[in-house]
Amino acid sequence: MPAGVRTAEVFGDVADVSLFPEEEIAIASAVDARRREFATGRHCARAALSALGRPAVPLPPDEHGVPSWPDGVVGSLTHCHGYRAAAVAGREDVMSLGIDAEPHRPLPQGVLEAVTIAPERAALAVLADSYPSVHWDRLLFSAKESVFKSWFSMTGDRLGFDDAEVEFEAEIPFFRARVLRQRPGWAGKAPMAVGGRWLVCRGLVLAAVSL
């Protein structure tokens, strides 16, 4: 992430995380695994906010399930098996953030066709032949998720998997995403093309977008 962004990550869940009453209400009926995931995500978020010089505050999910970040702060959370992370920044430095982590393994059968368009599948086949150590299908899924989170924070609207096209640079950890459709109300809120960074390590694929 660029200068001005603060991050925190853990490889697993943190025990005995203190939640604010507003957060407890939000997960009152959640199963234990979801409670641990939620609590550890808030732990990471507050650690990142502290690094940004911000106090610990409640971060209940809004009606879309997105954390209610403090005024003047943009942020993003991600979680997958064995990993939780948060990224935050001041709005004076960053307009939006999107991060995503996934296990570094192939997508389940049939999912690739649902989350890609034909040009992406053709490009992935070439990448897989040239760089077979990377599960490019899972990385593309992660990249799109990071773009979608960033886009939603700017527009309040959700992109579908066929609304954006992602292209990877294999020699450097960079990707480009182009939004393929324009909808009413989007004009001027967000760029139609964004760039992001990716990483493969410790059994994970990670993608991040910051604008």
Side-chain angles (χ1 to χ4, degrees):
M1 303 298 287
V5 178
R6 299 294 181 265
T7 62
E9 63 183 359
V10 295
F11 293 86
D13 285 321
V14 177
D16 302 323
V17 175
S18 295
L19 296 176
F20 286 85
E22 301 94 321
E23 296 167 336
E24 288 283 5
I25 292 171
I27 56 167
S29 60
V31 299
D32 187 58
R34 171 57 183 154
R35 287 185 62 86
R36 294 195 307 270
E37 173 189 280
F38 179 96
T40 303
R42 267 50 187 184
H43 167 84
C44 290
R46 285 192 264 276
L49 285 169
S50 177
L52 194 64
R54 297 278 185 149
V57 295
L59 300 169
D62 65 14
E63 66 273 21
H64 304 288
V66 177
S68 300
W69 299 105
D71 290 343
V73 171
V74 295
S76 183
L77 298 180
T78 189
H79 53 79
C80 67
H81 180 70
Y83 185 76
R84 321 285 189 224
V88 299
R91 288 189 180 274
E92 68 275 12
D93 297 318
V94 176
M95 183 168 62
S96 73
L97 292 172
I99 63 172
D100 187 73
E102 303 288 336
H104 187 216
R105 55 176 179 257
L107 289 172
Q109 187 173 1
V111 173
L112 180 64
E113 289 72 20
V115 301
T116 58
I117 59 176
E120 291 173 326
R121 292 192 290 274
L124 290 183
V126 174
L127 288 167
D129 285 341
S130 301
Y131 304 92
S133 64
V134 176
H135 294 300
W136 293 98
D137 57 344
R138 183 74 72 160
L139 185 55
L140 185 141
F141 179 86
S142 184
K144 282 197 171 183
E145 285 291 315
S146 69
V147 171
F148 294 169
K149 291 177 182 180
S150 174
W151 183 267
F152 184 81
S153 73
M154 291 183 287
T155 66
D157 204 354
R158 297 189 184 277
L159 292 172
F161 282 103
D162 59 351
D163 287 333
E165 181 178 2
V166 170
E167 298 178 337
F168 288 103
E169 294 283 351
E171 296 295 335
I172 58 174
F174 183 79
F175 65 87
R176 299 176 185 84
R178 182 167 57 94
V179 178
L180 302 177
R181 294 180 177 86
Q182 182 66 268
R183 293 178 182 171
W186 284 4
K189 289 186 177 180
M192 298 298 285
V194 300
R197 306 286 287 184
W198 60 268
L199 180 67
V200 177
C201 69
R202 295 184 66 161
L204 300 167
V205 297
L206 306 134
V209 171
S210 62
L211 298 171

